[in-house]
Amino acid sequence: MLGKEKSLPEETARKISNMILNEKRFKPGDRIPSEYELAHELGVSRLTVREAVKTLIANNILYIKRGVGTFVSNENKDSVNPYGIYFTKSKKEHIKDSFETRRIIEPEIVMLAAERATEEDIADMLKCAENCKECLLNGGSIDDTDREFHISLAKASHNAILYRLMTTVDYEIEDSRQALYIKGNKSFDDGVLVDHFEVVKFIKESDGVGASIVMRHHLNRALEYLKNK
């Protein structure tokens, strides 16, 4: 599925950075576990851990002391995740920033999708929307299927940078999506499903303005819902 296209080293880097930045298991200056220990805990190879650590070093989350080990960076600046996106210090502010970013990007993405989507793209978007609906009807959380839907829109824009941006900021969006769906709210979830199918309808009709309006409303409503929780 589209939402699961991260490489194994990328996903491993995300998990390690989560240990540091969200779970706070390791503080600035702390030595992280060895490659062997991380590989065992995360169920991946040592080579995968090594590649993940390289990514985190490149983004100033980790640094190496030769002959000693790998440590959490103690630089006095905002940390970044494995994909170069800045973390905010407050989770509430972090979620707000995520939605503000989406409100800038996604209405433009669906405008392009309305111009460029192929029949295959539209079928993929509909399938993702149906997966959300099926998951909700079965009493499950739609956070994963919602992610797949939004990334399918980015793919349909046929803009490689926007698609890559959406797949990489997926890490940032994860916190906001979990905040939305962790407890579930039937009226809110039903509204999400309606919005999904409306966006696809406008894209299929090549109505970029309509798709953009629905997407902006979709994201604004989600942000208001979070503010009132």
Side-chain angles (χ1 to χ4, degrees):
M1 297 298 290
L2 284 171
K4 299 182 179 178
E5 289 184 352
K6 293 189 186 81
S7 71
L8 195 52
E10 282 181 321
E11 180 64 18
T12 302
R14 186 190 71 79
K15 290 178 180 179
I16 296 172
S17 68
N18 188 57
M19 294 176 187
I20 297 165
L21 299 167
N22 293 334
E23 297 175 8
K24 308 295 184 185
R25 285 174 55 181
F26 310 109
K27 302 184 297 295
D30 283 354
R31 180 179 176 178
I32 67 168
S34 67
E35 281 183 4
Y36 174 82
E37 291 170 317
L38 286 171
H40 179 73
E41 177 176 348
L42 299 174
V44 297
S45 70
R46 293 178 66 178
L47 178 61
T48 296
V49 170
R50 192 172 305 137
E51 290 301 312
V53 167
K54 286 179 182 177
T55 299
L56 296 174
I57 290 170
N59 284 281
N60 299 315
I61 292 178
L62 299 175
Y63 68 96
I64 290 177
K65 288 183 180 179
R66 297 296 175 188
V68 180
T70 304
F71 294 78
V72 178
S73 175
N74 56 8
E75 292 184 11
N76 292 318
K77 64 179 183 179
D78 287 345
S79 297
V80 295
N81 75 5
Y83 315 111
I85 306 297
Y86 284 89
F87 279 92
T88 55
K89 295 179 181 178
S90 159
K91 186 168 184 177
K92 184 176 180 181
E93 184 181 353
H94 170 77
I95 291 172
K96 176 183 70 68
D97 287 352
S98 296
F99 269 101
E100 287 177 351
T101 302
R102 293 178 67 186
R103 285 193 300 187
I104 293 168
I105 296 171
E106 291 198 73
E108 297 302 318
I109 283 175
V110 297
M111 288 273 283
L112 289 176
E115 295 176 12
R116 302 173 180 176
T118 65
E119 290 185 5
E120 182 180 353
D121 291 329
I122 292 169
D124 189 33
M125 288 183 279
L126 280 172
K127 181 180 179 182
C128 289
E130 290 289 351
N131 286 344
C132 280
K133 181 179 179 180
E134 182 180 354
C135 187
L136 188 60
L137 290 174
N138 290 333
S141 171
I142 63 172
D143 54 342
D144 286 337
T145 51
D146 180 68
R147 177 185 299 112
E148 291 168 1
F149 175 76
H150 284 272
I151 293 179
S152 76
L153 299 177
K155 183 183 178 186
S157 75
H158 292 273
N159 180 303
I161 293 176
L162 284 174
Y163 176 66
R164 179 60 180 164
L165 182 60
M166 279 300 295
T167 57
T168 55
V169 300
D170 177 63
Y171 180 71
E172 293 299 305
I173 293 170
E174 184 173 350
D175 272 353
S176 59
R177 188 175 278 116
Q178 287 177 351
L180 283 171
Y181 301 130
I182 191 167
K183 292 184 179 179
N185 178 300
K186 188 177 187 308
S187 62
F188 178 80
D189 289 346
D190 288 346
V192 168
L193 296 183
V194 169
D195 291 347
H196 284 182
F197 285 104
E198 281 290 297
V199 168
V200 177
K201 171 181 172 290
F202 281 119
I203 290 174
K204 188 175 181 179
E205 294 172 354
S206 301
D207 185 348
V209 173
S212 179
I213 290 171
V214 174
M215 180 56 70
R216 190 171 295 278
H217 167 74
H218 177 70
L219 296 172
N220 282 339
R221 190 156 54 84
L223 187 53
E224 285 303 311
Y225 175 77
L226 283 173
K227 285 179 179 177
N228 294 326
K229 285 189 74 173

